[in-house]
Amino acid sequence: RGEPAPRGGAGMTAGLLEGRVVLVAGAGAGLGRQVACAAARAGAAVVVSGRTAGGANAETVATIEDAGGRAVDVAADVTSADDVQRLVDAAVERYGGLDGLVYGAFHPGGMSVPAVDADLATWQACFDVNLFGALRVVQAAAPALRRSEAGSVVLVGSQTGRRVRPGRWAHTVAPGAPEIGNPVGVAF
């Protein structure tokens, strides 16, 4: 399969994901960056993705590479089916396959605006990234994940969806991604 995944090195520990390829959507900062770095430490080659190339995504890639791992930054807008397919294709072309997908992309919505005052376009943008974006990426990745002997999908959500707080309404949309995991899991 293409370029081999990282095999340890300075600061990297071989482990559970040795020789695997993991795509992390929403990997530029925060939890996504932590997940990408953890996957690399466990031995995976990591495809770091966010809406724009460079910036935070490049920092995540640099962190992984500085520790002896392998990573590539592939910009993709999860609201675009073409971008998402290009992202998955890039992972497969670069590393020869895809073994894992972690979806952590998130649209914050109008955090300072009460939910009832947010315009419909803001609500649609939240659903398009937080719910339908997850589904787009899973559907595009499904053929490659099915070819893997260990194809896995992790959809990141938020507990805030179960306990809504003022100004945090956009988080109520994010738990939709993990909820689609039930029917998605049946497909694998």
Side-chain angles (χ1 to χ4, degrees):
R1 289 178 29 173
E3 293 181 40
R7 301 272 184 220
M12 301 301 287
T13 57
L16 180 63
L17 300 176
E18 184 72 25
R20 304 286 182 198
V21 179
V22 176
L23 187 160
V24 183
L31 182 59
R33 176 176 287 167
Q34 292 175 15
V35 168
C37 291
R41 281 192 305 275
V46 182
V47 179
V48 173
S49 182
R51 208 173 3 183
T52 56
N57 292 342
E59 291 174 23
T60 301
V61 169
T63 298
I64 291 169
E65 290 177 340
D66 288 349
R70 295 187 88 174
V72 62
D73 173 7
V74 180
D77 178 349
V78 298
T79 67
S80 164
D82 290 341
D83 266 18
V84 167
Q85 190 60 58
R86 186 182 47 74
L87 168 63
V88 171
D89 291 347
V92 172
E93 288 169 16
R94 174 79 180 242
Y95 295 115
L98 184 61
D99 303 294
L101 164 65
V102 179
Y103 188 86
F106 176 71
H107 187 293
M111 296 294 266
S112 62
V113 177
V116 296
D117 296 329
D119 60 40
L120 184 58
T122 300
W123 275 98
Q124 287 174 322
C126 286
F127 272 92
D128 205 21
V129 172
N130 301 349
L131 177 62
F132 296 117
L135 187 55
R136 273 185 207 94
V137 177
V138 169
Q139 287 179 330
L145 291 169
R146 285 184 177 130
R147 287 190 296 271
S148 169
E149 66 209 34
S152 298
V153 175
V154 176
L155 302 171
V156 179
S158 169
Q159 285 287 44
T160 304
R162 306 210 190 297
R163 201 178 67 199
V164 181
R165 295 182 304 212
R168 307 294 284 177
W169 65 268
H171 288 270
T172 65
V173 180
E179 297 303 323
I180 68 168
N182 294 331
V184 165
V186 172
F188 292 99

